[in-house]
Amino acid sequence: RIIFISSNSAIVPFHGGTEYATSKRAIESVADCLRAEMMQFGVHVATILPGPITSPLWTKLPPSDLAAVAITEQPSEAVGPTPTNAVAADTTATTTTDSATAAAYVKMLESIERNQARLERLAATPRATTSPALLHAVRSSVPRLRYFVDNVGVVVAFTYWLLGDRLYNRVLAMV
């Protein structure tokens, strides 16, 4: 048996979780490939997908007010080079776009903070959430391919499947 511990973020992305979800999806891909390769040898490959777990990870995201200051204090060169034949009107438009971009970024970070707070409230201890699934994956004669170990993960995964990628991502962007 081969058992991986991943995250339900591998299957269902969350706002602000690009790096985390990408790393967990990589684990899912390895498990999927090994499952296909090892099947002929009778080796079962399962993945445990816990939901939010109490972790210092949640404290590492920058607060949106600090990020806003960092964005607005960037020199204009950080946005990109200005053509030498640019006129005053174009410079004003660029400044407006920069402000609009900064505001959109701050709004996104605030949404990430709200999502972070929700995830912290839902967080459980690793042992309480993963142990039953891990025991089943080890002991069962026919283990599941994936174990969503919390109800939140199951509901969110079902919603993701029901809505499809595009609609789910639009809903996620509004949260």
Side-chain angles (χ1 to χ4, degrees):
R1 287 229 177 169
I2 301 173
I3 302 169
F4 291 94
I5 306 291
S6 180
S7 168
N8 62 21
S9 298
I11 307 297
V12 182
F14 66 93
H15 204 175
T18 302
E19 297 88 356
Y20 182 78
T22 301
S23 67
K24 298 307 177 183
R25 185 61 203 154
I27 292 170
E28 283 292 308
S29 293
V30 169
D32 290 344
C33 290
L34 277 176
R35 189 176 296 113
E37 293 170 6
M38 302 305 287
M39 187 182 304
Q40 64 184 331
F41 303 110
V43 176
H44 295 281
V45 178
T47 310
I48 311 292
L49 301 155
I53 292 178
T54 303
S55 163
L57 173 71
W58 305 117
T59 61
K60 293 183 181 182
L61 292 172
S64 58
D65 54 342
L66 295 178
V69 170
I71 293 167
T72 55
E73 291 182 358
Q74 290 293 323
S76 59
E77 292 81 28
V79 176
T82 305
T84 54
N85 60 353
V87 293
D90 290 336
T91 305
T92 304
T94 301
T95 304
T96 304
T97 302
D98 293 344
S99 297
T101 301
Y105 188 71
V106 169
K107 183 178 176 183
M108 181 187 71
L109 287 173
E110 289 169 346
S111 173
I112 290 170
E113 285 179 338
R114 286 190 304 274
N115 191 41
Q116 174 185 343
R118 277 188 225 118
L119 290 173
E120 286 174 356
R121 284 192 305 273
L122 294 171
T125 59
R127 184 172 182 210
T129 58
T130 58
S131 294
L134 187 57
L135 286 173
H136 188 273
V138 170
R139 293 177 178 166
S140 175
S141 59
V142 183
R144 296 182 208 152
L145 304 180
R146 289 180 180 81
Y147 290 84
F148 283 97
V149 296
D150 67 339
N151 292 333
V152 173
V154 172
V155 170
V156 173
F158 178 74
T159 304
Y160 183 70
W161 171 82
L162 188 64
L163 297 178
D165 290 340
R166 289 189 192 275
L167 187 55
Y168 180 83
N169 287 325
R170 285 185 183 160
V171 170
L172 190 62
M174 291 187 290
V175 175

